[in-house]
Amino acid sequence: IMENITNFYETAPLMLAIYWTIAGVSSVLIIIQAILLLIGFDSDSDFSGGDTAFDADGMNLISVKTILCFLLGFGWTGAVFYPIFENKVTVALIALAVGVAFMFLIAFLLRQVLRLSADGTFTTAKAVGSVGSVYLRIPGPDEPGKVNVTYRGSMHELLAYSDSPIETGASVRVVRTVDASAVYVERC
C-alpha cells in the first residue's frame, strides 16, 4: 500500500496530490473527532476558545469543526473534479465554493443545535404577562404580599407589590418585575 501511495505522489500533478492530501488528512481528523464525540470527549482547542463561543445570539464561523469541514469539502471536491475539468482554476474555484459551503453549513447546524438547549431557570422577568392569584394579601405599594403564578406548568410563589390593596384569592396579572424575587401586579 505504501508503495502505491509513494508512486501516486511521485507521478500525480502537484494540485491533485494537494487535494488528496487535504481530503485524506481532514477525513481522518473528522473520523477521530466523531469517535471522541461518541465516547464522550468533545473538546475543541483553537485560539478563540473552540466551539464554546457559539451561542444562540451569534455565530462563530471560525472553529476547529468548521475549518475541518471546509478542508473536507475543499479536498474531496478538488480530488474528484480534478480529472473531470480541463481548466484547473475552475476546479479550484468549485472546491473553494464547496469548502465555504461546508463551513457555513456546519456553523449553521451547530448554531441550531445550541439553540435547542434551553435555560429552564425561572426568573421574575419570565412571569411578566402571567395571570396568578394572591396568596397573601397585598397591603399596598410599600408592603409586599405574595402571589402564586404558573409559568410553563410550574407554580411559583413570588413577592408582589400593587398600587392598591388586593385581597387573598383575587386574580392578578404580573405587569413588571421589581427585582429578582418580586413583581408588580394589577387586578385582572
Side-chain angles (χ1 to χ4, degrees):
I1 293 176
M2 288 305 292
E3 185 179 320
N4 289 341
I5 293 173
T6 305
N7 187 34
F8 169 76
Y9 278 104
E10 289 173 355
T11 59
L14 178 63
M15 278 310 293
L16 183 60
I18 290 172
Y19 288 136
W20 276 109
T21 302
I22 291 172
V25 170
S26 61
S27 295
V28 168
L29 292 175
I30 289 277
I31 290 169
I32 289 170
Q33 194 174 42
I35 290 170
L36 291 174
L37 177 66
L38 289 174
I39 61 173
F41 182 77
D42 182 27
S43 174
D44 281 341
S45 298
D46 68 3
F47 299 113
S48 67
D51 287 330
T52 58
F54 274 98
D55 61 12
D57 299 331
M59 185 170 109
N60 185 1
L61 191 59
I62 306 299
S63 71
V64 172
K65 286 180 178 76
T66 59
I67 290 173
L68 271 178
C69 285
F70 168 81
L71 292 172
L72 188 74
F74 177 80
W76 280 108
T77 302
V80 169
F81 285 121
Y82 191 88
I84 296 172
F85 288 97
E86 195 73 28
N87 186 348
K88 302 313 175 195
V89 174
T90 303
V91 174
L93 291 175
I94 292 171
L96 185 66
V98 170
V100 168
F102 273 38
M103 192 165 131
F104 275 99
L105 177 66
I106 196 66
F108 172 77
L109 291 174
L110 287 170
R111 185 171 183 232
Q112 296 306 311
V113 166
L114 288 171
R115 289 177 91 189
L116 292 175
S117 63
D119 181 10
T121 306
F122 175 79
T123 62
T124 54
K126 292 178 181 178
V128 174
S130 299
V131 175
S133 61
V134 176
Y135 173 66
L136 289 176
R137 180 180 179 274
I138 303 170
D142 298 328
E143 239 184 289
K146 288 192 177 182
V147 293
N148 286 330
V149 176
T150 302
Y151 176 77
R152 292 193 174 177
S154 296
M155 185 172 290
H156 301 275
E157 184 179 290
L158 305 170
L159 291 175
Y161 294 90
S162 177
D163 282 338
S164 58
I166 303 176
E167 297 302 317
T168 300
S171 184
V172 293
R173 179 178 313 280
V174 178
V175 292
R176 70 175 196 267
T177 62
V178 174
D179 58 33
S181 62
V183 294
Y184 191 85
V185 297
E186 64 183 21
R187 190 181 295 271
C188 287

